[in-house]
Amino acid sequence: MSAVFASLGMSLDGFVAGPNAHPGNPLGDGGLRIHAWVEEVETWRERQSMTGGTDGTRGNQDDTIVRDTFERAGAYIMGRHMFAEGEIGWPDPPPFRAPVFVLTHTPREPWVRQGGTTFHFVTEGPAAALELAREAAGTKDVQVSGGADTVRQFLDAGLLDELQLHLAPVVLGAGTRLFDGVSPELHLHPVGAVSSAKVTHLTYGIASLRSEPDTRTTTHETGAAA
Amino acid sequence: MSAVFASLGMSLDGFVAGPNAHPGNPLGDGGLRIHAWVEEVETWRERQSMTGGTDGTRGNQDDTIVRDTFERAGAYIMGRHMFAEGEIGWPDPPPFRAPVFVLTHTPREPWVRQGGTTFHFVTEGPAAALELAREAAGTKDVQVSGGADTVRQFLDAGLLDELQLHLAPVVLGAGTRLFDGVSPELHLHPVGAVSSAKVTHLTYGIASLRSEPDTRTTTHETGAAA
């Protein structure tokens, strides 16, 4: 069965967004510092209908990781706040190029965009959205895009198989912390770490959904992305 | 000149100790979860006059990293709270086997212990302690052992060249956060990441003390420690 994963940028002090975040300021004050690395990544820029940036085919591992993450996702789930922010900010075609299931209390007809992205609005909660996303993803994986509240909902409900954290080497000091309110009972296990000169990519399995920790061995390059 | 580094265990939500930490409860409530990985490491156990544990010579990278960290340190600096905790808890010989410079307001004669550890009490502040530690360390490095307040003091004063974080895959929810009160102006850059099945070892250079980010490439093994 396809995996359910989340992939978030986080500061060293645990913030995934700065203070005063709202649809006009989606990352919050200073939040761009958490995501500065991805702004330079060619795959991300291309998905945002921007040109330039680094290129994974030339060995930039940040780009490779972003591309692999986009390619493994066959469907997305997001909260209504993230959608409200994206509805303003995303280009058409939006970056997803796949069905997106939006958790909301307000029924709405599907919103078809260019490039394969259709937003579906789900009022029956996370489990129902996941069932629809799994069906839409087929053999690919389901990405819980965010925001932090939505990722916490899936963590608390035991619906997440994998958590990717892109740890930015910055201290934010204020904002929204991913793990605030998450149960100390949450059992993660590290399955990979890749460090570039700009960010450290951490991958965790959710132990509660596995019989034992994943102990596969992989090789990583460190530091050569700049 | 020898490097000045700190090496701390931290939870995913940024805590280096649990709540209610005091000399009789040095890690705070639940704080042992941050350091569970090191309790199994043979080099650490041997330094604590305990037997057993994993063995770096058999390929356990957690053990190798702990041994390398002990071996590079020619002198240590710590705050008076950490010393007060250790004075109760450390065996004789203590784990350091090198001169330890304790920041304090109370003058005290050097305390000579077995195995090469002598505690020197410095009342003239961090810079003075660092000068004495550098001289004692010779060609080796100086480790700022902690606690968190002391590491923050050295970070804020720009006296730290390198920060090692041993990121435990746990959520603590309360306690002492390393980066609380640290200036958002702090510029770190990732220089390495190694993930075992139990912990992720992150190494950061302090950019403010370097002309440019270190972009050396190293290879890491991930996940095979269990």
Side-chain angles (χ1 to χ4, degrees), chain A residues 38-105:
Chain A
V38 83
E39 299 273 334
E40 303 172 31
V41 166
E42 182 178 53
T43 296
W44 186 88
R45 296 179 66 88
E46 188 265 333
R47 289 276 185 148
Q48 301 289 333
S49 302
M50 299 158 71
T51 57
T54 57
D55 183 350
T57 62
R58 289 197 298 272
N60 179 282
Q61 65 194 341
D62 294 338
D63 189 278
T64 303
I65 286 167
V66 170
R67 187 190 307 114
D68 292 348
T69 303
F70 272 119
E71 286 178 354
R72 69 182 281 198
Y76 296 83
I77 296 171
M78 70 179 60
R80 69 184 195 278
H81 296 304
M82 181 174 177
F83 172 75
E85 295 162 358
E87 190 172 16
I88 297 171
W90 289 316
D92 189 22
F96 306 101
R97 304 180 187 173
V100 179
F101 297 87
V102 181
L103 297 163
T104 178
H105 302 304

Side-chain angles (χ1 to χ4, degrees), chain A residues 10 12-14 33 163 165 167-173 177 179-180 182-200 202-204 213-226, chain B residues 10 12-14 33 163 165 167-173 177 179-180 182-200 202-204 213-226:
Chain A
M10 187 171 87
L12 267 175
D13 50 346
R33 297 175 63 221
L163 178 62
L165 294 176
L167 196 63
V170 300
V171 174
L172 215 60
R177 281 192 158 109
F179 292 106
D180 274 1
V182 170
S183 167
E185 294 307 307
L186 177 67
H187 292 302
L188 301 170
H189 61 271
V191 294
V194 184
S195 187
S196 80
K198 300 193 176 82
V199 63
T200 303
L202 306 173
T203 304
Y204 293 94
D214 179 343
T215 56
R216 70 191 158 94
T217 298
T218 54
T219 300
H220 299 310
E221 293 297 299
T222 297
Chain B
M10 188 171 86
L12 267 176
D13 50 347
R33 297 175 62 221
L163 178 63
L165 295 176
L167 196 63
V170 300
V171 174
L172 216 59
R177 281 192 159 110
F179 292 107
D180 274 1
V182 170
S183 167
E185 294 307 307
L186 176 68
H187 292 301
L188 301 170
H189 62 271
V191 294
V194 184
S195 187
S196 79
K198 300 193 176 84
V199 63
T200 303
L202 305 173
T203 304
Y204 292 94
D214 180 342
T215 56
R216 72 193 156 95
T217 297
T218 54
T219 300
H220 299 308
E221 294 296 299
T222 297

Side-chain angles (χ1 to χ4, degrees), chain B residues 12 18 20 22 28 42 49 60-61 78-80 111 114 133 139 141 174 183 190 203 213 215 223 225:
Chain B
L12 267 176
N20 309 315
H22 57 73
E42 182 179 53
S49 301
N60 179 281
Q61 65 194 342
M78 69 180 59
R80 67 183 195 281
W111 187 35
Q114 299 180 57
T139 58
D141 295 332
S183 167
T203 304
T215 56

